[in-house]
Amino acid sequence: YKKGYGAKKEYGGGVILDLIHEIDLSLYLFGEVSSLTCLKQYTKELKIETESIASISYKSKDGILINIILDYLRPIMGRNMEIVCENGIITWEFVKGEIYIQTKEKPMQSLIHKVSSSFNRNDMYIEEIKSFLKVIDKEISLDDKKNELEKSGTLNDAINSLQVAMLCHNVAGTIL
């Protein structure tokens, strides 16, 4: 891990850029940022030159408060999202591929979605590449091109996520 891009500043490493999909998802679900704060920390035990943990808190333009914790420190892989609503909580567990819901009426978590056992995560990336190649090779009509491109988000979505990630680096209080 010390030789990979995540460990090197010059390669764009660090948890904020490496785990940017949590920022992508929060922007998709809750909208644009109106104010943001970020704390990040370099952990000497990992012996890498990039931040190994970041705590991002922001307020969306709709007034929703979002907290994102990103880290390389977990001894057991975990990436989760919890959405706390007035009448319940939705929990997404990335590694398990499961989504749960809890409500005031049913406080025990209920599984509402599970990724198929035949699901292969790498297939997503292969389909993404195929879709991109169809678009640039002009193998599809202009109408289909728009639909194909929208499957995975737009360039503006990616730019917005990157702007938030860079803002995290610019406003971050850093603990050495």
Side-chain angles (χ1 to χ4, degrees):
Y1 73 89
K2 293 177 192 174
K3 295 179 182 178
Y5 75 91
K8 306 282 186 189
K9 281 185 183 180
E10 68 181 296
Y11 299 157
V15 293
I16 294 171
L17 288 169
D18 190 17
L19 304 181
I20 197 169
H21 298 303
E22 277 78 347
I23 295 171
D24 291 332
L25 189 54
S26 69
L27 292 173
Y28 174 78
L29 292 172
F30 306 113
E32 294 181 47
V33 173
S34 69
S35 62
L36 178 139
T37 186
C38 177
L39 291 173
K40 63 182 181 173
Q41 184 167 330
Y42 298 82
T43 308
K44 62 184 175 191
E45 291 83 7
L46 291 181
K47 297 178 181 158
I48 61 175
E49 36 182 85
T50 58
E51 79 279 355
S52 52
I53 187 167
S55 176
I56 303 164
S57 295
Y58 76 87
K59 186 175 187 178
S60 75
K61 288 190 176 178
D62 291 332
I64 299 168
L65 298 178
I66 292 96
N67 293 299
I68 302 171
I69 307 294
L70 306 171
D71 75 80
Y72 288 152
L73 305 174
R74 294 174 173 271
I76 299 166
M77 167 68 165
R79 289 176 85 175
N80 309 303
M81 176 178 273
E82 185 176 83
I83 303 171
V84 179
C85 307
E86 184 177 337
N87 294 312
I89 300 168
I90 301 166
T91 306
W92 168 60
E93 295 191 16
F94 173 81
V95 176
K96 291 182 180 179
E98 297 174 347
I99 300 173
Y100 298 90
I101 192 164
Q102 289 175 273
T103 63
K104 290 178 180 179
E105 295 80 29
K106 294 184 180 181
M108 293 295 292
Q109 279 192 337
S110 299
L111 180 67
I112 60 171
H113 177 77
K114 181 172 178 61
V115 173
S116 167
S117 61
S118 64
F119 174 74
N120 180 345
R121 191 166 310 282
N122 197 49
D123 291 344
M124 295 186 311
Y125 303 113
I126 292 169
E127 288 304 312
E128 182 77 20
I129 291 167
K130 286 179 183 177
S131 177
F132 179 72
L133 291 174
K134 281 183 193 175
V135 171
I136 62 171
D137 286 343
K138 301 177 185 170
E139 292 178 10
I140 57 178
S141 72
L142 289 176
D143 290 336
D144 289 338
K145 183 182 282 194
K146 183 178 181 205
N147 292 334
E148 199 70 27
L149 287 169
E150 288 177 353
K151 282 182 186 178
S152 61
T154 66
L155 176 60
N156 284 337
D157 294 335
I159 290 168
N160 290 339
S161 295
L162 185 56
Q163 285 175 331
V164 170
M166 298 314 295
L167 185 60
C168 287
H169 279 288
N170 292 334
V171 303
T174 303
I175 302 167
L176 298 174

